[in-house]
Amino acid sequence: MITFENVSYHYSNAEKAAVEKVSFELEEGSFNYLTGPSGAGKTTLFRMMYMDMTPTKGRLTVFGRNVSAMSQDDISLMRRRMGIVFQDFRLLPHLTVKENVSLPLTLTGPMSQQQESCVDEIIDWVGLGHKSNILPGFLSGGEKQRVAIARAVVNRPRLLIADEPTGNVDASMGRRIMHLFTELNKQGTTLLIATHDRELMADCPAPSIIVENGRISKLHAA
Amino acid sequence: MLRLDLSARKALSLGKDAVFRLLVLMMIFLGWLAGMGAAGLLGLDEIYHQWQLNQKSHVSVYLMPDSTPRQIETLEEALIIIPGVRDIKRLDQDSIRQLVQPYLDDRTSLPLPKILDVKVVEGLDRAAFDAQVHSLFPLAEIDDARAMLKIVADGVQLAQTAVFAVASVIFIVLALLVSLTVRSGLQAQQRSLAVLQYVGATNGFLTLLVMQQVLQRAIIGTVGAAILGAACLWGLQESYDSMSTYLTYQVWMAIIAVPLALMVVVMVSAYWSAVTTLSQRQVTADGITS
């Protein structure tokens, strides 16, 4: 599904590469954690996975296609098969909770009744049914996190990548979110979660990719 | 055209940009201005052509009141053989009186001149014509409106060129304004654009969002400009009876066609600006494109 082959990324204003000669593969239907200390290169790897950046060296393929050879429109179309949860949520402040969540479904025209129901269902599921018509500015960090997660999973993505998805929610909601993720994984969604939360990793065991100093230091089996 | 969901349209709302909100007013004003200019241009052309048709084929020869019928007959015989002269008509006394009445005031006892209305065509040998008239009637006056027509034609052409230049400037200004508005609107919404792209919006989809908003405003602006222009023409027609002769079908069409052409310019400008702005966006280190 995603293959890194000797991938390096060097920011133009940095002395050393943020990611260097990284090789690993995310298999279709797998569930992995991506972990490591701050500044290790997790975000850079993440951004390359959702094709926000292309490798400065090496070869990265997503859904079997070489990212470096893709146009912006190809990337956008590819992202329709992905769900991305950002650490900073990236919600649109002038859209309501429901509009934010339904955004991925609106790209191909007006939503069907079934899609509308699906949006309502997922908003209810993350516990924000009573707030579906309010703007993100009136939500807490945890609630915004849940909206971002709902948006990422609403179109049943083939690949879900999440950066600290439970970082802003309480333990109970964290467990619910992880339950949702594992359910999606059982239905075939490939899952990659970046986290520092050892408790979370212990509760939902899965192989870990550990990043240190821009390199993959270990591939831990669950 | 692909139908868009309301949420998608709201996601990239150019209406937040102050200049974009003024697009309708700008289109109404500039569309009306260009439409009136074009209508004026066509109306002026119609006035000129009607006057030209009336004047260009006639030369009037004013003879002294004491000219005898025999002398006049001799002149007619001499003039009719000059190349370009088609017909000569001697005006009767009543027609002459009516013609000169405004200049006589109450001096009705003054003797009236004799007037020959000479019908001519292109290629009149004007020098031979003048020489023949003056050889028989040294004090005769020849009134040839064609010289004046030439001056008026030049004036009309100048006015038409000026109107065309002003209309072109209006078109260019509006195209630049729309381009600037779309570009600044998209620049102001980098975050929304980035989020839309993260969830899978292609540049084509984003362009469609922009075009739909521009089209909505352009239609309102075009209809507004056409209604305002038509109202002005109708007002002129109602105020001045003589205007209706010159307000031809083409003049009325111009009031509608020019704002429509302006709408096309607006749409092309918006499309080009959206496509180039979106294709030039670059990813920055914080993950937000610019």
Side-chain angles (χ1 to χ4, degrees):
Chain A
M1 173 139 300
I2 296 184
T3 313
F4 284 76
E5 291 174 62
N6 283 320
V7 167
S8 300
Y9 190 88
H10 202 135
Y11 288 99
S12 54
N13 54 353
E15 280 182 18
K16 62 184 272 249
V19 168
E20 198 155 17
K21 292 185 178 170
V22 167
S23 297
F24 67 89
E25 185 180 357
L26 285 184
E27 285 173 10
E28 180 136 24
S30 64
F31 174 11
N32 293 277
Y33 289 109
L34 182 69
T35 189
S38 296
K42 290 197 303 293
T43 303
T44 305
L45 282 175
F46 238 76
R47 286 180 64 188
M48 285 197 278
M49 279 185 230
Y50 61 79
M51 297 163 285
D52 205 20
M53 307 186 313
T54 50
T56 44
K57 274 184 195 164
R59 180 184 163 90
L60 167 64
T61 56
V62 178
F63 295 117
R65 288 191 60 186
N66 183 359
V67 169
S68 301
M70 279 159 59
S71 68
Q72 180 57 51
D73 276 355
D74 288 336
I75 289 171
S76 293
L77 290 171
M78 202 72 93
R79 283 178 183 155
R80 291 185 186 182
R81 295 193 262 169
M82 298 171 77
I84 312 165
V85 181
F86 298 96
Q87 204 170 2
D88 59 355
F89 324 125
R90 307 235 173 137
L91 302 176
L92 293 180
H94 54 285
L95 298 189
T96 63
V97 166
K98 186 172 179 178
E99 287 164 344
N100 265 292
V101 172
S102 56
L103 207 52
L105 301 175
T106 62
L107 300 176
T108 50
M111 288 195 296
S112 64
Q113 199 66 46
Q114 194 185 348
Q115 287 174 317
E116 291 263 10
S117 307
C118 178
V119 170
D120 291 333
E121 198 179 306
I122 196 82
I123 292 172
D124 278 339
W125 203 92
V126 294
L128 292 171
H130 61 297
K131 292 188 173 180
S132 66
N133 291 318
I134 67 167
L135 297 172
F138 296 99
L139 301 177
S140 68
E143 287 170 328
K144 285 179 189 171
Q145 180 83 296
R146 285 184 267 159
V147 177
I149 290 166
R151 185 183 62 189
V153 301
V154 74
N155 59 346
R156 305 273 162 171
R158 278 182 63 195
L159 170 67
L160 179 66
I161 53 177
D163 197 0
E164 299 285 359
T166 56
N168 291 287
V169 295
D170 59 38
S172 152
M173 182 50 71
R175 275 193 295 276
R176 285 192 66 173
I177 288 167
M178 285 311 296
H179 175 69
L180 171 67
F181 285 174
T182 48
E183 281 301 309
L184 283 169
N185 179 239
K186 280 177 194 164
Q187 289 168 28
T189 299
T190 308
L191 200 57
L192 182 76
I193 297 174
T195 186
H196 290 104
D197 191 342
R198 288 180 187 282
E199 207 174 311
L200 175 85
M201 290 192 278
D203 281 352
C204 297
S208 300
I209 301 162
I210 302 170
V211 190
E212 271 177 349
N213 293 321
R215 290 172 181 270
I216 302 293
S217 65
K218 275 177 196 165
L219 290 169
H220 267 284
Chain B
M1 182 191 276
L2 178 67
R3 287 197 303 141
L4 297 173
D5 190 273
L6 190 63
S7 307
R9 271 188 278 170
K10 263 179 79 180
L12 190 71
S13 172
L14 296 177
K16 289 178 198 166
D17 191 86
V19 186
F20 192 76
R21 285 201 295 266
L22 288 175
L23 185 62
V24 171
L25 285 178
M26 286 191 301
M27 277 205 68
I28 290 176
F29 176 67
L30 294 177
W32 169 77
L33 202 63
M36 289 303 284
L41 190 140
L42 290 170
L44 188 65
D45 204 50
E46 186 61 28
I47 290 172
Y48 170 69
H49 275 103
Q50 285 188 18
W51 190 56
Q52 195 189 31
L53 280 176
N54 206 29
Q55 298 292 318
K56 80 171 183 186
S57 57
H58 290 269
V59 174
S60 300
V61 180
Y62 294 84
L63 305 173
M64 298 301 287
D66 56 357
S67 309
T68 65
R70 178 71 204 131
Q71 286 174 311
I72 295 170
E73 205 172 306
T74 310
L75 178 63
E76 285 172 343
E77 284 165 1
L79 291 181
I80 199 74
I81 56 169
I82 293 173
V85 175
R86 282 283 170 274
D87 189 31
I88 300 169
K89 199 173 120 192
R90 210 181 294 181
L91 294 190
D92 60 41
Q93 288 295 294
D94 285 343
S95 303
I96 296 171
R97 197 181 304 283
Q98 272 183 2
L99 212 60
V100 297
Q101 191 63 48
Y103 310 103
L104 292 175
D105 296 330
D106 53 353
R107 291 166 289 180
T108 50
S109 58
L110 283 174
L112 294 173
K114 303 284 190 304
I115 302 177
L116 295 181
D117 182 21
V118 184
K119 192 173 178 189
V120 296
V121 291
E122 286 289 325
L124 169 69
D125 186 348
R126 185 60 204 277
F129 186 92
D130 286 13
Q132 199 58 260
V133 170
H134 288 128
S135 68
L136 292 168
F137 294 91
L139 295 176
E141 285 287 332
I142 300 167
D143 182 12
D144 186 353
R146 290 174 310 157
M148 178 62 84
L149 277 173
K150 173 83 176 69
I151 297 168
V152 174
D154 290 346
V156 168
Q157 204 170 26
L158 185 71
Q160 287 177 333
T161 309
V163 168
F164 186 75
V166 170
S168 302
V169 168
I170 287 173
F171 273 63
I172 292 166
V173 164
L174 196 60
L176 290 174
L177 269 173
V178 168
S179 175
L180 190 72
T181 305
V182 168
R183 281 170 192 277
S184 64
L186 289 177
Q187 288 295 334
Q189 297 209 50
Q190 290 294 342
R191 276 194 175 267
S192 296
L193 283 173
V195 170
L196 278 161
Q197 284 184 328
Y198 288 139
V199 298
T202 58
N203 280 354
F205 179 84
L206 297 171
T207 304
L208 196 63
L209 288 181
V210 172
M211 295 304 288
Q212 198 184 47
Q213 294 174 67
V214 174
L215 181 65
Q216 276 178 349
R217 282 164 173 78
I219 288 173
I220 298 169
T222 301
V223 171
I227 289 173
L228 190 62
C232 288
L233 285 192
W234 181 80
L236 278 173
Q237 190 173 264
E238 290 298 306
S239 307
Y240 305 99
D241 288 341
S242 58
M243 285 300 285
S244 52
T245 317
Y246 308 113
L247 297 181
T248 57
Y249 168 74
Q250 286 92 336
V251 173
W252 286 99
M253 281 308 291
I255 276 296
I256 298 164
V258 171
L260 270 175
L262 210 58
M263 185 170 92
V264 172
V265 169
V266 164
M267 294 308 291
V268 170
S269 173
Y271 178 78
W272 181 77
S273 307
V275 166
T276 52
T277 307
L278 290 169
S279 63
Q280 285 164 2
R281 294 174 75 235
Q282 298 291 323
V283 177
T284 60
D286 67 349
I288 298 298
T289 48
S290 64

